[in-house]
Coordinates of all heavy atoms in Angstrom, one line a residue:
M16 N 0.8 -1.2 0.0 CA 0.0 0.0 0.0 C 0.9 1.2 0.0 O 1.7 1.4 0.8 CB -0.9 0.0 1.2 CG -1.9 1.1 1.2 SD -3.3 0.8 0.2 CE -4.2 -0.5 1.1
N17 N 0.6 2.1 -0.9 CA 1.4 3.3 -1.0 C 0.6 4.5 -0.4 O -0.5 4.7 -0.6 CB 1.7 3.7 -2.5 CG 2.6 2.6 -3.1 OD1 3.7 2.4 -2.6 ND2 2.2 2.0 -4.2
I18 N 1.3 5.2 0.4 CA 0.7 6.4 1.1 C 1.4 7.7 0.6 O 2.6 7.8 0.6 CB 0.9 6.3 2.6 CG1 0.2 5.0 3.1 CG2 0.2 7.5 3.3 CD1 0.4 4.7 4.6
C19 N 0.5 8.6 0.2 CA 1.0 9.9 -0.2 C 1.6 10.6 0.9 O 1.0 10.8 2.0 CB -0.1 10.7 -0.9 SG 0.4 12.4 -1.2
P20 N 2.9 11.1 0.8 CA 3.5 11.8 1.9 C 2.9 13.2 2.1 O 3.2 13.9 3.1 CB 5.0 11.9 1.6 CG 5.0 11.8 0.1 CD 3.8 10.9 -0.3
H21 N 2.2 13.7 1.1 CA 1.6 15.0 1.2 C 0.3 15.1 1.9 O 0.0 16.0 2.7 CB 1.6 15.6 -0.2 CG 2.9 15.6 -0.9 ND1 4.0 16.3 -0.5 CD2 3.2 14.8 -2.0 CE1 5.0 16.0 -1.4 NE2 4.6 15.1 -2.2
C22 N -0.6 14.1 1.5 CA -2.0 14.2 2.0 C -2.4 12.9 2.7 O -3.5 12.7 3.1 CB -2.9 14.5 0.9 SG -3.0 13.4 -0.4
Q23 N -1.4 11.9 2.8 CA -1.7 10.6 3.5 C -2.8 9.8 2.9 O -3.4 9.0 3.6 CB -1.9 10.9 5.0 CG -0.7 11.0 5.8 CD 0.1 12.3 5.6 OE1 -0.6 13.4 5.6 NE2 1.3 12.3 5.3
E24 N -3.1 10.0 1.7 CA -4.1 9.2 1.0 C -3.4 7.9 0.4 O -2.2 7.9 0.1 CB -4.7 10.0 -0.2 CG -5.7 11.0 0.2 CD -7.0 10.4 0.5 OE1 -7.2 9.2 0.3 OE2 -7.9 11.2 1.0
T25 N -4.2 6.9 0.4 CA -3.7 5.6 -0.1 C -4.4 5.3 -1.5 O -4.0 4.3 -2.1 CB -3.9 4.4 0.8 OG1 -5.3 4.4 1.1 CG2 -3.1 4.6 2.1
T26 N -5.4 6.1 -1.8 CA -6.1 5.8 -3.1 C -5.5 6.8 -4.2 O -5.0 7.8 -3.9 CB -7.6 6.1 -2.9 OG1 -7.8 7.4 -2.5 CG2 -8.2 5.2 -1.9
R27 N -5.7 6.3 -5.4 CA -5.4 7.1 -6.6 C -3.9 7.5 -6.6 O -3.5 8.6 -6.9 CB -6.3 8.4 -6.7 CG -7.7 8.0 -6.8 CD -8.6 9.2 -6.9 NE -8.4 10.0 -8.1 CZ -8.9 11.2 -8.3 NH1 -9.6 11.8 -7.4 NH2 -8.7 11.9 -9.4
Q28 N -3.1 6.5 -6.3 CA -1.6 6.7 -6.4 C -1.2 6.0 -7.7 O -1.3 4.8 -7.9 CB -0.9 6.1 -5.2 CG -1.4 6.5 -3.8 CD -1.3 8.0 -3.6 OE1 -0.3 8.6 -3.8 NE2 -2.5 8.6 -3.3
V29 N -0.7 6.8 -8.6 CA -0.5 6.4 -10.0 C 1.0 6.2 -10.2 O 1.8 7.1 -9.9 CB -1.1 7.4 -11.0 CG1 -0.8 6.9 -12.4 CG2 -2.6 7.5 -10.8
K30 N 1.4 5.1 -10.8 CA 2.8 4.9 -11.1 C 3.2 5.8 -12.3 O 2.5 5.8 -13.3 CB 3.1 3.5 -11.5 CG 2.9 2.5 -10.3 CD 3.2 1.1 -10.7 CE 3.0 0.2 -9.5 NZ 3.2 -1.2 -9.8
V31 N 4.3 6.5 -12.2 CA 4.7 7.4 -13.2 C 6.1 7.2 -13.7 O 6.8 8.0 -14.3 CB 4.6 8.9 -12.8 CG1 3.1 9.3 -12.6 CG2 5.3 9.2 -11.5
G32 N 6.6 6.0 -13.4 CA 8.0 5.7 -13.9 C 8.9 5.4 -12.7 O 8.5 5.1 -11.6
R33 N 10.2 5.5 -13.0 CA 11.2 5.2 -12.0 C 12.3 6.2 -12.0 O 12.5 7.0 -12.9 CB 11.9 3.8 -12.4 CG 10.9 2.6 -12.2 CD 11.7 1.3 -12.5 NE 10.7 0.2 -12.3 CZ 10.5 -0.4 -11.1 NH1 11.2 0.1 -10.0 NH2 9.7 -1.4 -11.0
T34 N 12.9 6.3 -10.8 CA 14.1 7.2 -10.7 C 15.3 6.6 -11.3 O 15.3 5.4 -11.7 CB 14.4 7.4 -9.2 OG1 14.8 6.2 -8.6 CG2 13.1 7.9 -8.4
K35 N 16.4 7.3 -11.4 CA 17.6 6.8 -11.9 C 18.1 5.6 -11.1 O 18.8 4.7 -11.6 CB 18.7 7.9 -12.0 CG 18.4 9.0 -13.0 CD 19.5 10.0 -13.0 CE 19.2 11.1 -14.0 NZ 20.2 12.2 -13.9
A36 N 17.8 5.7 -9.8 CA 18.3 4.6 -8.9 C 17.4 3.3 -9.1 O 17.7 2.3 -8.5 CB 18.3 5.1 -7.5
G37 N 16.3 3.4 -9.8 CA 15.4 2.3 -10.0 C 14.3 2.2 -9.0 O 13.5 1.2 -9.1
S38 N 14.1 3.2 -8.2 CA 12.9 3.2 -7.3 C 11.7 3.6 -8.0 O 11.7 4.4 -9.0 CB 13.2 4.2 -6.2 OG 14.3 3.8 -5.4
Q39 N 10.6 3.0 -7.6 CA 9.3 3.4 -8.2 C 8.9 4.8 -7.9 O 9.0 5.2 -6.7 CB 8.2 2.4 -7.7 CG 6.8 2.7 -8.3 CD 6.8 2.2 -9.8 OE1 7.0 1.1 -10.1 NE2 6.5 3.2 -10.7
R40 N 8.5 5.5 -8.9 CA 7.9 6.9 -8.7 C 6.4 6.8 -8.8 O 5.9 6.2 -9.6 CB 8.5 7.8 -9.8 CG 10.0 8.0 -9.7 CD 10.4 9.1 -8.8 NE 10.0 10.4 -9.3 CZ 10.0 11.5 -8.6 NH1 10.3 11.5 -7.4 NH2 9.8 12.7 -9.2
L41 N 5.8 7.6 -7.8 CA 4.3 7.6 -7.8 C 3.9 9.0 -7.9 O 4.6 10.0 -7.5 CB 3.8 6.9 -6.6 CG 4.0 5.4 -6.4 CD1 3.6 5.0 -5.1 CD2 3.3 4.7 -7.5
Q42 N 2.7 9.2 -8.4 CA 2.1 10.5 -8.3 C 0.7 10.4 -7.7 O -0.1 9.6 -8.0 CB 1.9 11.1 -9.7 CG 1.3 12.5 -9.7 CD 1.5 13.3 -11.0 OE1 2.0 12.7 -12.0 NE2 1.2 14.6 -11.0
C43 N 0.4 11.3 -6.7 CA -0.8 11.4 -6.1 C -1.8 12.2 -6.9 O -1.4 13.3 -7.4 CB -0.7 12.0 -4.7 SG -2.2 12.3 -3.8
Q44 N -3.0 11.7 -7.1 CA -4.0 12.4 -7.9 C -4.8 13.4 -7.1 O -5.7 14.1 -7.6 CB -4.8 11.5 -8.7 CG -4.0 10.7 -9.8 CD -4.9 10.0 -10.7 OE1 -6.0 9.6 -10.5 NE2 -4.3 9.8 -11.9
H45 N -4.6 13.4 -5.8 CA -5.2 14.3 -4.9 C -4.3 15.6 -4.8 O -4.8 16.7 -4.5 CB -5.4 13.8 -3.5 CG -6.2 12.5 -3.5 ND1 -7.6 12.5 -3.6 CD2 -5.9 11.2 -3.4 CE1 -8.1 11.3 -3.5 NE2 -7.0 10.5 -3.4
Y46 N -3.1 15.4 -5.0 CA -2.1 16.5 -4.8 C -1.1 16.3 -5.9 O -0.4 15.3 -6.0 CB -1.5 16.3 -3.4 CG -0.6 17.4 -2.9 CD1 -1.1 18.4 -2.2 CD2 0.8 17.4 -3.2 CE1 -0.3 19.4 -1.7 CE2 1.6 18.4 -2.8 CZ 1.0 19.4 -2.0 OH 1.8 20.4 -1.6
P47 N -0.9 17.3 -6.7 CA -0.1 17.2 -7.9 C 1.4 17.2 -7.7 O 2.2 18.0 -8.2 CB -0.5 18.4 -8.8 CG -0.9 19.4 -7.7 CD -1.5 18.7 -6.6
R48 N 1.9 16.3 -6.9 CA 3.3 16.1 -6.7 C 3.7 14.7 -6.8 O 3.0 13.8 -6.4 CB 3.7 16.6 -5.2 CG 3.6 18.1 -5.0 CD 4.8 18.8 -5.6 NE 6.0 18.4 -4.9 CZ 6.5 19.0 -3.8 NH1 5.8 20.0 -3.3 NH2 7.6 18.7 -3.3
R49 N 4.9 14.5 -7.4 CA 5.4 13.1 -7.5 C 6.3 12.8 -6.3 O 6.8 13.7 -5.7 CB 6.2 13.0 -8.8 CG 5.4 13.1 -10.0 CD 6.2 13.0 -11.3 NE 5.3 13.2 -12.5 CZ 5.8 13.1 -13.7 NH1 7.0 12.8 -14.0 NH2 4.9 13.3 -14.7
Y50 N 6.3 11.6 -6.0 CA 7.2 11.2 -4.8 C 7.7 9.8 -5.0 O 7.2 9.0 -5.9 CB 6.4 11.3 -3.5 CG 5.2 10.4 -3.4 CD1 5.4 9.2 -2.7 CD2 4.0 10.7 -4.0 CE1 4.3 8.3 -2.6 CE2 2.9 9.8 -3.9 CZ 3.1 8.6 -3.2 OH 2.0 7.7 -3.1
T51 N 8.6 9.4 -4.2 CA 9.2 8.0 -4.2 C 8.8 7.4 -2.9 O 9.2 7.8 -1.8 CB 10.7 8.1 -4.3 OG1 11.1 8.8 -5.5 CG2 11.3 6.7 -4.4
P52 N 7.9 6.4 -2.9 CA 7.4 5.8 -1.7 C 8.4 5.1 -0.8 O 8.4 5.1 0.4 CB 6.3 4.8 -2.1 CG 6.7 4.5 -3.5 CD 7.4 5.7 -4.1
Q53 N 9.4 4.4 -1.5 CA 10.4 3.7 -0.8 C 11.7 4.0 -1.3 O 12.3 3.2 -2.1 CB 10.1 2.2 -0.8 CG 8.8 1.8 -0.1 CD 8.3 0.4 -0.7 OE1 8.6 0.0 -1.8 NE2 7.4 -0.2 0.1
P54 N 12.3 5.1 -0.9 CA 13.6 5.5 -1.5 C 14.7 4.4 -1.2 O 14.7 3.9 -0.1 CB 14.0 6.8 -0.7 CG 12.7 7.2 0.0 CD 11.8 6.0 0.1
K55 N 15.5 4.1 -2.1 CA 16.6 3.2 -1.9 C 17.6 3.7 -0.9 O 17.9 4.9 -1.0 CB 17.3 2.9 -3.2 CG 16.5 1.9 -4.1 CD 17.4 1.3 -5.1 CE 16.7 0.1 -5.8 NZ 17.6 -0.5 -6.8
Q56 N 18.0 2.9 0.0 CA 19.0 3.3 1.0 C 20.3 3.5 0.3 O 20.8 2.7 -0.5 CB 19.1 2.2 2.0 CG 20.0 2.7 3.2 CD 19.8 1.8 4.4 OE1 19.4 0.7 4.3 NE2 20.0 2.4 5.6
Q57 N 20.9 4.6 0.5 CA 22.2 4.9 -0.1 C 23.3 4.8 0.8 O 23.2 5.3 2.0 CB 22.1 6.3 -0.7 CG 21.1 6.4 -1.8 CD 21.2 7.8 -2.6 OE1 21.9 8.6 -2.2 NE2 20.4 7.9 -3.7
G58 N 24.4 4.2 0.4 CA 25.6 4.1 1.2 C 25.4 3.0 2.3 O 24.6 2.1 2.1
Y59 N 26.0 3.1 3.4 CA 26.0 2.1 4.4 C 24.9 2.5 5.5 O 24.5 3.6 5.6 CB 27.3 2.1 5.2 CG 28.5 1.7 4.3 CD1 29.3 2.6 3.7 CD2 28.6 0.4 4.0 CE1 30.4 2.3 2.9 CE2 29.7 0.0 3.1 CZ 30.6 0.9 2.6 OH 31.6 0.5 1.8
P60 N 24.5 1.4 6.2 CA 23.5 1.7 7.3 C 24.1 2.7 8.3 O 25.4 2.8 8.4 CB 23.3 0.3 7.9 CG 23.7 -0.6 6.8 CD 24.7 0.0 6.0
E61 N 23.3 3.3 9.1 CA 23.7 4.4 10.0 C 24.7 3.9 11.0 O 25.7 4.5 11.3 CB 22.5 4.9 10.7 CG 22.8 6.1 11.6 CD 23.3 7.3 10.7 OE1 22.9 7.4 9.5 OE2 24.1 8.1 11.3
Q62 N 24.5 2.6 11.5 CA 25.4 2.1 12.5 C 26.9 2.0 11.9 O 27.8 2.3 12.6 CB 24.9 0.7 12.9 CG 25.7 0.2 14.2 CD 25.0 -1.1 14.7 OE1 24.1 -1.6 14.0 NE2 25.5 -1.5 15.8
M63 N 27.0 1.5 10.7 CA 28.3 1.4 10.1 C 28.9 2.7 9.9 O 30.1 2.9 10.0 CB 28.2 0.6 8.8 CG 27.9 -0.8 8.9 SD 27.9 -1.7 7.4 CE 29.6 -1.6 6.9
R64 N 28.1 3.7 9.5 CA 28.7 5.1 9.3 C 29.2 5.6 10.6 O 30.3 6.3 10.7 CB 27.6 6.0 8.8 CG 28.1 7.2 8.1 CD 27.0 8.1 7.6 NE 26.0 7.3 6.9 CZ 24.9 7.8 6.4 NH1 24.7 9.1 6.5 NH2 24.0 7.1 5.8
Q65 N 28.5 5.4 11.7 CA 29.0 5.9 13.0 C 30.3 5.2 13.4 O 31.2 5.9 13.9 CB 27.9 5.5 14.1 CG 26.6 6.3 14.0 CD 26.8 7.8 14.1 OE1 27.7 8.3 14.8 NE2 26.0 8.6 13.5
Q66 N 30.5 4.0 13.1 CA 31.7 3.3 13.4 C 32.9 3.9 12.5 O 34.0 4.0 13.0 CB 31.6 1.8 13.1 CG 30.7 1.1 14.2 CD 30.6 -0.4 13.9 OE1 30.9 -0.9 12.8 NE2 30.0 -1.1 14.8
A67 N 32.5 4.2 11.3 CA 33.6 4.7 10.4 C 34.0 6.1 10.9 O 35.2 6.4 10.7 CB 33.0 4.8 9.0
L68 N 33.1 6.8 11.5 CA 33.5 8.2 11.9 C 34.3 8.2 13.2 O 35.0 9.1 13.4 CB 32.2 9.0 12.1 CG 31.5 9.4 10.8 CD1 30.1 10.0 11.1 CD2 32.3 10.3 9.9
S69 N 34.0 7.2 14.0 CA 34.7 7.2 15.3 C 36.1 6.7 15.3 O 36.5 6.1 14.3 CB 33.9 6.3 16.3 OG 33.9 5.0 15.8
Ligands
ZN19 ZN1 -1.5 13.2 -2.0

């Protein structure tokens, strides 16, 4: 189930293609903005990053 981050609607979420990273792009038909419901995690998990910095 995809939830619009702008209006929290789960209905009328239309697929509009993909990002360069390959994530699904959706567009809410209640609110004319495109968004990525599940952005791909970039780089390392936060815990590994903390270890690298310390
Ligand atoms: Zn919306």
Side-chain angles (χ1 to χ4, degrees):
M16 187 79 70
N17 294 305
I18 301 176
C19 173
H21 307 293
C22 60
Q23 277 71 51
E24 284 283 351
T25 58
T26 59
R27 299 178 66 191
Q28 307 302 307
V29 179
K30 292 179 182 179
V31 290
R33 290 182 179 276
T34 65
K35 288 180 182 177
S38 299
Q39 183 69 61
R40 294 272 288 167
L41 295 173
Q42 181 164 10
C43 176
Q44 294 191 333
H45 301 282
Y46 188 91
R48 288 282 295 271
R49 294 181 184 183
Y50 66 96
T51 305
Q53 294 158 338
K55 281 198 171 183
Q56 190 165 24
Q57 296 190 350
Y59 296 102
E61 188 63 28
Q62 191 173 8
M63 287 184 68
R64 198 181 315 177
Q65 294 295 332
Q66 287 179 350
L68 289 172
S69 61

